[in-house]
Amino acid sequence: MNYPSAAGGLKNMFVAQILVLVGGVLTVVGAVGAVFTLGLSAILLLPASLLMLVGGILEFWGLYKASADDQGYRGALLFVVVGVVLGIVGGVIAKEEGLLKTLLSVVQTVLNFLVVNAVCQTTSNLLHSMGKEELAEKGNTVSKIYFICTVISVVCALVGAIPILNILAGLAGLVGGVITIVGYVLYLSFLSSGGRALEY
């Protein structure tokens, strides 16, 4: 038994994550470059935005495609849609720093975890049905790491909203950031290897 739709969907999601990652790096480089010259920021902002937009569309398409093999991917797709809607609403109503912006950031963090968790758990279940236990367990590990990252991020965001404790939250956020990078690399690896494994 194999799952070609899920395999293709995961491959699309892998490419989507790479595009978003490159777009994020270009945004950071542009922001740093803006300190020295305004031209660099303007040159990099458009391609960065386009890469992130294409990445978002490709992730949506990948989840939609994968859902043909398992309904679990539809849950992840729903969380992505809710995240996009909240992002748009948040951009309109929460223009400045404050409690509302913090709460919206927390909700976005939780939704991101729910997407990753749904993808990992659904893929792990499919891999388990194919007898690929080692790779299935890798998906469970990625979910656990992302859960830890989400808890740290939520606590840091809430504690950081308290003026006296924001330095402590910043230090905890630094540790959480390192764990998040590890989790993200494992997630990318799981999307890639899971996509290949579900084909055969």
PDB file of all heavy atoms in Angstrom, residues 45-75:
ATOM      1  N   LEU A  45      12.865  43.326  -0.456  1.00  0.00           N
ATOM      2  CA  LEU A  45      11.518  43.188   0.111  1.00  0.00           C
ATOM      3  C   LEU A  45      10.537  42.534  -0.854  1.00  0.00           C
ATOM      4  O   LEU A  45       9.768  41.649  -0.467  1.00  0.00           O
ATOM      5  CB  LEU A  45      10.994  44.564   0.537  1.00  0.00           C
ATOM      6  CG  LEU A  45       9.699  44.548   1.345  1.00  0.00           C
ATOM      7  CD1 LEU A  45       9.877  43.731   2.614  1.00  0.00           C
ATOM      8  CD2 LEU A  45       9.259  45.955   1.676  1.00  0.00           C
ATOM      9  N   LEU A  46      10.567  42.912  -2.121  1.00  0.00           N
ATOM     10  CA  LEU A  46       9.633  42.352  -3.094  1.00  0.00           C
ATOM     11  C   LEU A  46       9.846  40.858  -3.317  1.00  0.00           C
ATOM     12  O   LEU A  46       8.898  40.070  -3.190  1.00  0.00           O
ATOM     13  CB  LEU A  46       9.709  43.120  -4.416  1.00  0.00           C
ATOM     14  CG  LEU A  46       8.765  42.610  -5.506  1.00  0.00           C
ATOM     15  CD1 LEU A  46       7.315  42.729  -5.064  1.00  0.00           C
ATOM     16  CD2 LEU A  46       8.995  43.367  -6.812  1.00  0.00           C
ATOM     17  N   PRO A  47      11.102  40.406  -3.627  1.00  0.00           N
ATOM     18  CA  PRO A  47      11.280  38.958  -3.801  1.00  0.00           C
ATOM     19  C   PRO A  47      10.982  38.162  -2.525  1.00  0.00           C
ATOM     20  O   PRO A  47      10.443  37.058  -2.592  1.00  0.00           O
ATOM     21  CB  PRO A  47      12.744  38.793  -4.217  1.00  0.00           C
ATOM     22  CG  PRO A  47      13.387  40.109  -4.096  1.00  0.00           C
ATOM     23  CD  PRO A  47      12.323  41.139  -3.940  1.00  0.00           C
ATOM     24  N   ALA A  48      11.308  38.733  -1.357  1.00  0.00           N
ATOM     25  CA  ALA A  48      11.019  38.049  -0.093  1.00  0.00           C
ATOM     26  C   ALA A  48       9.521  37.855   0.073  1.00  0.00           C
ATOM     27  O   ALA A  48       9.055  36.771   0.424  1.00  0.00           O
ATOM     28  CB  ALA A  48      11.593  38.841   1.079  1.00  0.00           C
ATOM     29  N   SER A  49       8.750  38.913  -0.215  1.00  0.00           N
ATOM     30  CA  SER A  49       7.294  38.830  -0.094  1.00  0.00           C
ATOM     31  C   SER A  49       6.714  37.821  -1.078  1.00  0.00           C
ATOM     32  O   SER A  49       5.818  37.046  -0.739  1.00  0.00           O
ATOM     33  CB  SER A  49       6.663  40.200  -0.335  1.00  0.00           C
ATOM     34  OG  SER A  49       7.122  41.116   0.620  1.00  0.00           O
ATOM     35  N   LEU A  50       7.230  37.836  -2.311  1.00  0.00           N
ATOM     36  CA  LEU A  50       6.747  36.893  -3.325  1.00  0.00           C
ATOM     37  C   LEU A  50       7.045  35.450  -2.932  1.00  0.00           C
ATOM     38  O   LEU A  50       6.196  34.564  -3.090  1.00  0.00           O
ATOM     39  CB  LEU A  50       7.374  37.208  -4.684  1.00  0.00           C
ATOM     40  CG  LEU A  50       6.835  38.455  -5.394  1.00  0.00           C
ATOM     41  CD1 LEU A  50       7.630  38.743  -6.654  1.00  0.00           C
ATOM     42  CD2 LEU A  50       5.361  38.293  -5.718  1.00  0.00           C
ATOM     43  N   LEU A  51       8.258  35.206  -2.425  1.00  0.00           N
ATOM     44  CA  LEU A  51       8.615  33.846  -2.002  1.00  0.00           C
ATOM     45  C   LEU A  51       7.700  33.364  -0.884  1.00  0.00           C
ATOM     46  O   LEU A  51       7.248  32.221  -0.886  1.00  0.00           O
ATOM     47  CB  LEU A  51      10.073  33.797  -1.541  1.00  0.00           C
ATOM     48  CG  LEU A  51      11.129  33.829  -2.639  1.00  0.00           C
ATOM     49  CD1 LEU A  51      12.522  33.990  -2.036  1.00  0.00           C
ATOM     50  CD2 LEU A  51      11.070  32.564  -3.482  1.00  0.00           C
ATOM     51  N   MET A  52       7.421  34.246   0.080  1.00  0.00           N
ATOM     52  CA  MET A  52       6.548  33.857   1.186  1.00  0.00           C
ATOM     53  C   MET A  52       5.117  33.612   0.712  1.00  0.00           C
ATOM     54  O   MET A  52       4.457  32.684   1.181  1.00  0.00           O
ATOM     55  CB  MET A  52       6.580  34.927   2.277  1.00  0.00           C
ATOM     56  CG  MET A  52       7.905  34.992   2.996  1.00  0.00           C
ATOM     57  SD  MET A  52       7.868  36.242   4.285  1.00  0.00           S
ATOM     58  CE  MET A  52       9.215  35.712   5.314  1.00  0.00           C
ATOM     59  N   LEU A  53       4.654  34.429  -0.230  1.00  0.00           N
ATOM     60  CA  LEU A  53       3.306  34.240  -0.772  1.00  0.00           C
ATOM     61  C   LEU A  53       3.207  32.913  -1.522  1.00  0.00           C
ATOM     62  O   LEU A  53       2.267  32.127  -1.298  1.00  0.00           O
ATOM     63  CB  LEU A  53       2.956  35.403  -1.705  1.00  0.00           C
ATOM     64  CG  LEU A  53       1.594  35.301  -2.397  1.00  0.00           C
ATOM     65  CD1 LEU A  53       0.463  35.332  -1.375  1.00  0.00           C
ATOM     66  CD2 LEU A  53       1.427  36.420  -3.416  1.00  0.00           C
ATOM     67  N   VAL A  54       4.181  32.653  -2.395  1.00  0.00           N
ATOM     68  CA  VAL A  54       4.178  31.392  -3.149  1.00  0.00           C
ATOM     69  C   VAL A  54       4.301  30.211  -2.195  1.00  0.00           C
ATOM     70  O   VAL A  54       3.627  29.189  -2.356  1.00  0.00           O
ATOM     71  CB  VAL A  54       5.319  31.380  -4.198  1.00  0.00           C
ATOM     72  CG1 VAL A  54       5.460  30.004  -4.836  1.00  0.00           C
ATOM     73  CG2 VAL A  54       5.063  32.431  -5.268  1.00  0.00           C
ATOM     74  N   GLY A  55       5.147  30.356  -1.162  1.00  0.00           N
ATOM     75  CA  GLY A  55       5.295  29.295  -0.166  1.00  0.00           C
ATOM     76  C   GLY A  55       3.991  29.005   0.560  1.00  0.00           C
ATOM     77  O   GLY A  55       3.623  27.847   0.766  1.00  0.00           O
ATOM     78  N   GLY A  56       3.263  30.065   0.922  1.00  0.00           N
ATOM     79  CA  GLY A  56       1.979  29.883   1.603  1.00  0.00           C
ATOM     80  C   GLY A  56       0.959  29.181   0.721  1.00  0.00           C
ATOM     81  O   GLY A  56       0.235  28.287   1.175  1.00  0.00           O
ATOM     82  N   ILE A  57       0.908  29.587  -0.554  1.00  0.00           N
ATOM     83  CA  ILE A  57      -0.028  28.953  -1.496  1.00  0.00           C
ATOM     84  C   ILE A  57       0.346  27.493  -1.715  1.00  0.00           C
ATOM     85  O   ILE A  57      -0.518  26.607  -1.751  1.00  0.00           O
ATOM     86  CB  ILE A  57      -0.036  29.716  -2.840  1.00  0.00           C
ATOM     87  CG1 ILE A  57      -0.656  31.106  -2.644  1.00  0.00           C
ATOM     88  CG2 ILE A  57      -0.793  28.940  -3.910  1.00  0.00           C
ATOM     89  CD1 ILE A  57      -0.479  32.040  -3.818  1.00  0.00           C
ATOM     90  N   LEU A  58       1.650  27.228  -1.833  1.00  0.00           N
ATOM     91  CA  LEU A  58       2.115  25.855  -2.062  1.00  0.00           C
ATOM     92  C   LEU A  58       1.836  24.958  -0.858  1.00  0.00           C
ATOM     93  O   LEU A  58       1.484  23.786  -1.007  1.00  0.00           O
ATOM     94  CB  LEU A  58       3.608  25.866  -2.394  1.00  0.00           C
ATOM     95  CG  LEU A  58       4.185  24.632  -3.074  1.00  0.00           C
ATOM     96  CD1 LEU A  58       3.439  24.290  -4.351  1.00  0.00           C
ATOM     97  CD2 LEU A  58       5.672  24.839  -3.375  1.00  0.00           C
ATOM     98  N   GLU A  59       1.970  25.516   0.352  1.00  0.00           N
ATOM     99  CA  GLU A  59       1.652  24.735   1.552  1.00  0.00           C
ATOM    100  C   GLU A  59       0.161  24.386   1.564  1.00  0.00           C
ATOM    101  O   GLU A  59      -0.225  23.245   1.850  1.00  0.00           O
ATOM    102  CB  GLU A  59       2.010  25.499   2.824  1.00  0.00           C
ATOM    103  CG  GLU A  59       1.667  24.701   4.085  1.00  0.00           C
ATOM    104  CD  GLU A  59       2.004  25.419   5.372  1.00  0.00           C
ATOM    105  OE1 GLU A  59       1.924  26.663   5.408  1.00  0.00           O
ATOM    106  OE2 GLU A  59       2.328  24.743   6.344  1.00  0.00           O
ATOM    107  N   PHE A  60      -0.669  25.375   1.256  1.00  0.00           N
ATOM    108  CA  PHE A  60      -2.117  25.159   1.194  1.00  0.00           C
ATOM    109  C   PHE A  60      -2.438  24.061   0.177  1.00  0.00           C
ATOM    110  O   PHE A  60      -3.205  23.135   0.466  1.00  0.00           O
ATOM    111  CB  PHE A  60      -2.813  26.476   0.813  1.00  0.00           C
ATOM    112  CG  PHE A  60      -4.303  26.401   0.846  1.00  0.00           C
ATOM    113  CD1 PHE A  60      -4.991  26.622   2.026  1.00  0.00           C
ATOM    114  CD2 PHE A  60      -5.027  26.091  -0.301  1.00  0.00           C
ATOM    115  CE1 PHE A  60      -6.382  26.546   2.057  1.00  0.00           C
ATOM    116  CE2 PHE A  60      -6.408  26.016  -0.269  1.00  0.00           C
ATOM    117  CZ  PHE A  60      -7.084  26.246   0.911  1.00  0.00           C
ATOM    118  N   TRP A  61      -1.839  24.149  -1.014  1.00  0.00           N
ATOM    119  CA  TRP A  61      -2.073  23.163  -2.063  1.00  0.00           C
ATOM    120  C   TRP A  61      -1.580  21.778  -1.627  1.00  0.00           C
ATOM    121  O   TRP A  61      -2.232  20.766  -1.893  1.00  0.00           O
ATOM    122  CB  TRP A  61      -1.404  23.593  -3.367  1.00  0.00           C
ATOM    123  CG  TRP A  61      -1.460  22.532  -4.422  1.00  0.00           C
ATOM    124  CD1 TRP A  61      -0.429  21.806  -4.912  1.00  0.00           C
ATOM    125  CD2 TRP A  61      -2.639  22.043  -5.090  1.00  0.00           C
ATOM    126  NE1 TRP A  61      -0.878  20.899  -5.856  1.00  0.00           N
ATOM    127  CE2 TRP A  61      -2.231  21.031  -5.979  1.00  0.00           C
ATOM    128  CE3 TRP A  61      -3.986  22.374  -5.016  1.00  0.00           C
ATOM    129  CZ2 TRP A  61      -3.128  20.345  -6.784  1.00  0.00           C
ATOM    130  CZ3 TRP A  61      -4.878  21.686  -5.820  1.00  0.00           C
ATOM    131  CH2 TRP A  61      -4.446  20.687  -6.695  1.00  0.00           C
ATOM    132  N   GLY A  62      -0.413  21.731  -0.982  1.00  0.00           N
ATOM    133  CA  GLY A  62       0.136  20.459  -0.521  1.00  0.00           C
ATOM    134  C   GLY A  62      -0.784  19.765   0.472  1.00  0.00           C
ATOM    135  O   GLY A  62      -1.028  18.558   0.384  1.00  0.00           O
ATOM    136  N   LEU A  63      -1.320  20.534   1.413  1.00  0.00           N
ATOM    137  CA  LEU A  63      -2.246  19.954   2.391  1.00  0.00           C
ATOM    138  C   LEU A  63      -3.532  19.490   1.725  1.00  0.00           C
ATOM    139  O   LEU A  63      -4.075  18.429   2.053  1.00  0.00           O
ATOM    140  CB  LEU A  63      -2.558  20.980   3.487  1.00  0.00           C
ATOM    141  CG  LEU A  63      -1.463  21.202   4.520  1.00  0.00           C
ATOM    142  CD1 LEU A  63      -1.753  22.420   5.376  1.00  0.00           C
ATOM    143  CD2 LEU A  63      -1.281  19.959   5.381  1.00  0.00           C
ATOM    144  N   TYR A  64      -4.027  20.300   0.786  1.00  0.00           N
ATOM    145  CA  TYR A  64      -5.240  19.919   0.068  1.00  0.00           C
ATOM    146  C   TYR A  64      -5.020  18.619  -0.709  1.00  0.00           C
ATOM    147  O   TYR A  64      -5.855  17.712  -0.682  1.00  0.00           O
ATOM    148  CB  TYR A  64      -5.668  21.049  -0.874  1.00  0.00           C
ATOM    149  CG  TYR A  64      -6.881  20.702  -1.696  1.00  0.00           C
ATOM    150  CD1 TYR A  64      -8.153  20.726  -1.137  1.00  0.00           C
ATOM    151  CD2 TYR A  64      -6.749  20.332  -3.037  1.00  0.00           C
ATOM    152  CE1 TYR A  64      -9.267  20.400  -1.889  1.00  0.00           C
ATOM    153  CE2 TYR A  64      -7.853  20.002  -3.793  1.00  0.00           C
ATOM    154  CZ  TYR A  64      -9.108  20.034  -3.225  1.00  0.00           C
ATOM    155  OH  TYR A  64     -10.206  19.698  -3.961  1.00  0.00           O
ATOM    156  N   LYS A  65      -3.885  18.539  -1.387  1.00  0.00           N
ATOM    157  CA  LYS A  65      -3.562  17.345  -2.168  1.00  0.00           C
ATOM    158  C   LYS A  65      -3.415  16.122  -1.259  1.00  0.00           C
ATOM    159  O   LYS A  65      -3.933  15.042  -1.551  1.00  0.00           O
ATOM    160  CB  LYS A  65      -2.264  17.594  -2.943  1.00  0.00           C
ATOM    161  CG  LYS A  65      -1.868  16.498  -3.896  1.00  0.00           C
ATOM    162  CD  LYS A  65      -0.636  16.918  -4.698  1.00  0.00           C
ATOM    163  CE  LYS A  65      -0.257  15.818  -5.672  1.00  0.00           C
ATOM    164  NZ  LYS A  65       0.944  16.177  -6.451  1.00  0.00           N
ATOM    165  N   ALA A  66      -2.709  16.297  -0.142  1.00  0.00           N
ATOM    166  CA  ALA A  66      -2.483  15.182   0.787  1.00  0.00           C
ATOM    167  C   ALA A  66      -3.786  14.682   1.395  1.00  0.00           C
ATOM    168  O   ALA A  66      -3.922  13.492   1.708  1.00  0.00           O
ATOM    169  CB  ALA A  66      -1.519  15.607   1.894  1.00  0.00           C
ATOM    170  N   SER A  67      -4.762  15.572   1.553  1.00  0.00           N
ATOM    171  CA  SER A  67      -6.023  15.183   2.195  1.00  0.00           C
ATOM    172  C   SER A  67      -6.812  14.164   1.376  1.00  0.00           C
ATOM    173  O   SER A  67      -7.736  13.537   1.891  1.00  0.00           O
ATOM    174  CB  SER A  67      -6.887  16.420   2.473  1.00  0.00           C
ATOM    175  OG  SER A  67      -7.343  16.994   1.263  1.00  0.00           O
ATOM    176  N   ALA A  68      -6.428  13.961   0.109  1.00  0.00           N
ATOM    177  CA  ALA A  68      -7.091  12.930  -0.698  1.00  0.00           C
ATOM    178  C   ALA A  68      -6.790  11.537  -0.160  1.00  0.00           C
ATOM    179  O   ALA A  68      -7.573  10.610  -0.346  1.00  0.00           O
ATOM    180  CB  ALA A  68      -6.650  13.033  -2.160  1.00  0.00           C
ATOM    181  N   ASP A  69      -5.645  11.383   0.534  1.00  0.00           N
ATOM    182  CA  ASP A  69      -5.275  10.078   1.093  1.00  0.00           C
ATOM    183  C   ASP A  69      -5.656   9.918   2.557  1.00  0.00           C
ATOM    184  O   ASP A  69      -5.801   8.803   3.038  1.00  0.00           O
ATOM    185  CB  ASP A  69      -3.762   9.849   0.941  1.00  0.00           C
ATOM    186  CG  ASP A  69      -3.394   9.341  -0.448  1.00  0.00           C
ATOM    187  OD1 ASP A  69      -4.282   8.815  -1.141  1.00  0.00           O
ATOM    188  OD2 ASP A  69      -2.221   9.491  -0.841  1.00  0.00           O
ATOM    189  N   ASP A  70      -5.792  11.020   3.284  1.00  0.00           N
ATOM    190  CA  ASP A  70      -6.156  10.920   4.702  1.00  0.00           C
ATOM    191  C   ASP A  70      -6.802  12.235   5.146  1.00  0.00           C
ATOM    192  O   ASP A  70      -6.265  13.312   4.888  1.00  0.00           O
ATOM    193  CB  ASP A  70      -4.922  10.619   5.556  1.00  0.00           C
ATOM    194  CG  ASP A  70      -5.297  10.192   6.958  1.00  0.00           C
ATOM    195  OD1 ASP A  70      -5.883  11.002   7.699  1.00  0.00           O
ATOM    196  OD2 ASP A  70      -5.003   9.034   7.315  1.00  0.00           O
ATOM    197  N   GLN A  71      -7.938  12.126   5.827  1.00  0.00           N
ATOM    198  CA  GLN A  71      -8.678  13.303   6.289  1.00  0.00           C
ATOM    199  C   GLN A  71      -7.909  14.104   7.338  1.00  0.00           C
ATOM    200  O   GLN A  71      -8.224  15.274   7.582  1.00  0.00           O
ATOM    201  CB  GLN A  71     -10.030  12.866   6.866  1.00  0.00           C
ATOM    202  CG  GLN A  71     -10.958  12.248   5.841  1.00  0.00           C
ATOM    203  CD  GLN A  71     -11.367  13.233   4.772  1.00  0.00           C
ATOM    204  OE1 GLN A  71     -11.701  14.362   5.063  1.00  0.00           O
ATOM    205  NE2 GLN A  71     -11.317  12.811   3.516  1.00  0.00           N
ATOM    206  N   GLY A  72      -6.922  13.481   7.968  1.00  0.00           N
ATOM    207  CA  GLY A  72      -6.139  14.181   8.994  1.00  0.00           C
ATOM    208  C   GLY A  72      -5.475  15.438   8.468  1.00  0.00           C
ATOM    209  O   GLY A  72      -5.302  16.420   9.205  1.00  0.00           O
ATOM    210  N   TYR A  73      -5.116  15.433   7.191  1.00  0.00           N
ATOM    211  CA  TYR A  73      -4.490  16.622   6.600  1.00  0.00           C
ATOM    212  C   TYR A  73      -5.488  17.775   6.456  1.00  0.00           C
ATOM    213  O   TYR A  73      -5.096  18.926   6.389  1.00  0.00           O
ATOM    214  CB  TYR A  73      -3.881  16.286   5.233  1.00  0.00           C
ATOM    215  CG  TYR A  73      -2.719  15.329   5.314  1.00  0.00           C
ATOM    216  CD1 TYR A  73      -2.825  14.029   4.822  1.00  0.00           C
ATOM    217  CD2 TYR A  73      -1.510  15.719   5.882  1.00  0.00           C
ATOM    218  CE1 TYR A  73      -1.753  13.147   4.894  1.00  0.00           C
ATOM    219  CE2 TYR A  73      -0.433  14.841   5.955  1.00  0.00           C
ATOM    220  CZ  TYR A  73      -0.567  13.558   5.455  1.00  0.00           C
ATOM    221  OH  TYR A  73       0.495  12.682   5.536  1.00  0.00           O
ATOM    222  N   ARG A  74      -6.778  17.448   6.428  1.00  0.00           N
ATOM    223  CA  ARG A  74      -7.794  18.508   6.338  1.00  0.00           C
ATOM    224  C   ARG A  74      -7.820  19.338   7.614  1.00  0.00           C
ATOM    225  O   ARG A  74      -8.098  20.539   7.573  1.00  0.00           O
ATOM    226  CB  ARG A  74      -9.178  17.905   6.095  1.00  0.00           C
ATOM    227  CG  ARG A  74      -9.290  17.351   4.707  1.00  0.00           C
ATOM    228  CD  ARG A  74     -10.596  17.687   4.057  1.00  0.00           C
ATOM    229  NE  ARG A  74     -10.478  17.282   2.654  1.00  0.00           N
ATOM    230  CZ  ARG A  74     -11.432  16.753   1.973  1.00  0.00           C
ATOM    231  NH1 ARG A  74     -12.602  16.567   2.525  1.00  0.00           N
ATOM    232  NH2 ARG A  74     -11.248  16.433   0.719  1.00  0.00           N
ATOM    233  N   GLY A  75      -7.548  18.684   8.745  1.00  0.00           N
ATOM    234  CA  GLY A  75      -7.465  19.427  10.010  1.00  0.00           C
ATOM    235  C   GLY A  75      -6.345  20.454   9.953  1.00  0.00           C
ATOM    236  O   GLY A  75      -6.531  21.613  10.343  1.00  0.00           O
TER     237      GLY A  75
END
